[in-house]
Each structure stands twice: as structure tokens, then as C-alpha cells.
Amino acid sequence: MPYLKPERPEKVNAPSLKTSKQRGERLVCLTAYDYPTARIVDEAGIDIILVGDSLGNVVLGYGNTVPVTLEEILIHLKAVRRAVQRALLVADMPYGSFHTGADDAVRNALRLVKEGGAEAVKLEGGHKRVQLVKRLVDEEIAVMGHIGLTPQSINKLGAYRVQGKTAAAARQLIDDARALEDAGAFAIVLEVVPREIAKMITESVSIPTIGIGAGVHCDIQVLVIHDMLGLSFGKLARFVRPYANLHEVMTDAVTRYADDVRSGVYPSDDESYALPAEAAEEMSISESNKDSKARKS
Ligand code: KIV
């Protein structure tokens, strides 16, 4: 039987994700950082669009997410906002935007919501973020948690590795998830954790889990769009399924364009404009010298 894309006309919002979990619906999340991509993703029916700080890796050319600033997130968020109609739009709070006190964090989150049009913010960390999550929720801001591999901690971690691999670390992750739920988070990203632990967390909280490298039992899956479209450089993590190779598609198009320009077959007459006959006559441009450039070459 052919796969039928589900009709999902209604606008997604933070509370509706919990209802979807209760109904056992599997939702889909992708990142986007610009207007055309966000339009395609939204029109394809993706439920959540995240302007992630992975922006730093896949768009801005930084080696990791640490240098990404609030202003950079805001520029991309505004472009995405103009494109998105149905999906829930979530903005990442970049490193440094929520580390200097709760008031600063609220101010920065409010900028993402008021200036950038985000409907929710995401921030990395478990137990240690509980007070901050409560404060943001008190200020009417919807908060998505993020535990497991937290890329903003790369300088402390030393490398991107699977998290929660010992019983103690796994228990800590489960506690973190419960604490975030109690603090008022509406969903939690689980990044690169063993699928058994992701399943336990998914079953032990009533809010949806959003897995990336966390196995099939999470309520929602997320990928960085450049990774799944073949637009990022370097080795892909094992959890990334390459759905397209746009690197190859783009290289082929750019190379053919360059070949056509160099050999003079682009642009053709159909791809350029002719001077109207009357003006050509007035300027004494005859048919014979009208295309003199073409003749000379
Ligand atoms: O920044 C990002 O894209 C993320 C996702 C990987 C969840 O945090």
C-alpha cells in the first residue's frame, strides 16, 4: 500500500505535543535556519522546527556550537519565522545566553520570543537548570529541555560521546528528565543516549521525548537538516540516515553552470533580452552587428 502523508492541518503548539504523546502519535522535528528551507520543511508537514545552535556547525562554519551568539540565532530565527505557519517554532538558547543569572536568561529568552517569534526556547542541561526552567515557565515562556550529549559542554567533555553508558549515569539521566518535567518543561531532547535508557525515560515522563541518536522509542525524532540532506562536511554520526546527497546535486549544478559560461553556451538568446526593432533601427544597429559579440567569439 502506498505511504500516505498524514493530514495534519492544525497548528502545533507546546501543549498539543503532550496530547500527541497520549494518543501515541509519532511526531517529527527538523532544524532549519533560513526562509526557503523552513518553508519546505513546514509545507512538508514537519511538526516542530528548531532553530538550533547547530547553526554554528552547519551554516556559520564554526567548529562547534560554543561561539554561537544570541544575535546570530535571532537573525536566522526571524528568517525562519517568516516561513513557518504550522510547525511549532523552537529557538535554541546559545551558550552564554543563560549562564550569567536568571534575569539575563529571562531577558534573552524574551528576545527570542518577542523579537524572533519563537514559540518556545530550548536549553541544555538537567538538574542544574531546574530553577531556571521554573523561572522561565513562570514568565510564560515554554521551555524544551535537552539532556544526554549536550554539545555546549564540549570543552568540559573533550569529545562527543554516547552519554548514560553506566548504570549511575543512566539513572542520573532519568532523574534529570523527571526533574525537568517537574520544573515545567513541555518536552525533552535526548541526544546520543542508549536506546534502552531513552525508552525508560520516555516511559517515565508524561511529556514527549525528542530523540537524536537515542533510538526508536522516543516520542519524537529530530535530525539536523544539513546532515540528512548531505549538506554537511565530515563523517556523519551513525544515527544520521542520509536521505539525499545535496552536496553532489549542488556540485553538479555549479560545475555545469561554470562549463556553460566558459564555453559560451550560457546565456542563450532565450535567456537574454533583445533590443526592440524600433530602437535598434534608431540606433542604427543592424541585424548583422546586433550580435557582434557573439560573432567575434
Ligand atoms: O542545535 C541543534 O540542532 C540541536 C538538535 C540536535 C537537537 O540541539
Side-chain angles (χ1 to χ4, degrees):
M1 199 168 123
Y3 172 72
L4 295 175
K5 204 168 82 182
E7 287 292 321
R8 298 187 188 280
E10 58 311 331
K11 172 82 187 83
V12 182
N13 55 46
S16 73
L17 297 188
K18 200 166 170 179
T19 314
S20 295
K21 176 170 178 141
Q22 286 158 357
R23 291 190 190 136
E25 290 168 4
R26 286 173 184 271
L27 300 191
V28 193
C29 177
L30 272 175
T31 64
Y33 319 93
D34 60 58
Y35 180 89
T37 313
R39 258 196 88 157
I40 292 169
V41 169
D42 191 48
E43 287 172 7
I46 298 301
D47 305 291
I48 305 170
I49 296 182
L50 170 67
V51 181
D53 62 357
S54 49
L55 167 75
N57 302 73
V58 298
V59 174
L60 300 180
Y62 299 142
N64 57 48
T65 59
V66 171
V68 176
T69 65
L70 190 77
E71 302 304 324
E72 286 167 339
I73 294 278
L74 270 169
I75 288 170
H76 290 268
L77 173 61
K78 287 178 188 174
V80 169
R81 177 68 284 170
R82 290 189 276 270
V84 174
Q85 292 189 4
R86 176 187 167 271
L88 173 72
L89 179 54
V90 182
D92 235 340
M93 295 201 69
Y95 183 61
S97 70
F98 58 97
H99 303 75
T100 55
D103 289 343
D104 284 351
V106 171
R107 202 172 298 116
N108 290 331
L110 285 174
R111 286 193 68 194
L112 295 174
V113 172
K114 286 175 68 80
E115 281 176 48
E119 293 159 288
V121 301
K122 174 170 85 57
L123 54 92
E124 295 184 5
H127 264 97
K128 62 185 169 193
R129 303 291 174 226
V130 160
Q131 290 313 318
L132 180 55
V133 172
K134 279 188 184 153
R135 171 77 195 278
L136 291 168
V137 174
D138 277 351
E139 309 298 359
E140 325 306 335
I141 299 167
V143 180
M144 179 181 279
H146 182 158
I147 58 174
L149 178 61
T150 49
Q152 291 176 10
S153 317
I154 183 62
N155 290 326
K156 210 163 96 179
L157 294 171
Y160 301 114
R161 290 194 193 91
V162 183
Q163 302 294 302
K165 278 172 63 174
T166 63
R171 277 193 207 103
Q172 180 64 56
L173 281 176
I174 298 167
D175 283 355
D176 282 340
R178 288 191 180 133
L180 287 170
E181 174 175 27
D182 291 345
F186 71 92
I188 307 170
V189 170
L190 305 180
E191 180 160 355
V192 197
V193 301
R195 54 182 173 270
E196 296 85 349
I197 304 307
K199 182 170 188 280
M200 286 175 75
I201 295 173
T202 301
E203 286 166 359
S204 62
V205 293
S206 67
I207 55 175
T209 55
I210 306 177
I212 174 161
V216 74
H217 301 294
C218 295
D219 301 296
I220 301 171
Q221 295 290 329
V222 59
L223 281 176
V224 170
I225 193 156
H226 286 61
D227 291 344
M228 54 93 77
L229 293 181
L231 269 181
S232 52
F233 298 84
K235 192 173 178 293
L236 288 178
R238 71 183 272 172
F239 58 81
V240 178
R241 187 176 295 180
Y243 283 90
N245 190 342
L246 295 195
H247 187 144
E248 246 173 56
V249 172
M250 287 176 74
T251 303
D252 176 60
V254 169
T255 308
R256 285 191 293 111
Y257 163 64
D259 288 349
D260 287 353
V261 170
R262 289 182 184 125
S263 65
V265 301
Y266 177 82
S268 67
D269 281 357
D270 284 349
E271 290 157 332
S272 55
Y273 306 92
L275 187 67
E278 200 183 323
E281 199 176 313
E282 220 178 296
M283 295 182 72
S284 315
I285 298 174
S286 64
E287 268 310 312
S288 54
N289 70 7
K290 216 171 148 191
D291 287 328
S292 55
K293 186 177 171 219
R295 215 178 41 240
K296 272 186 216 145
S297 62

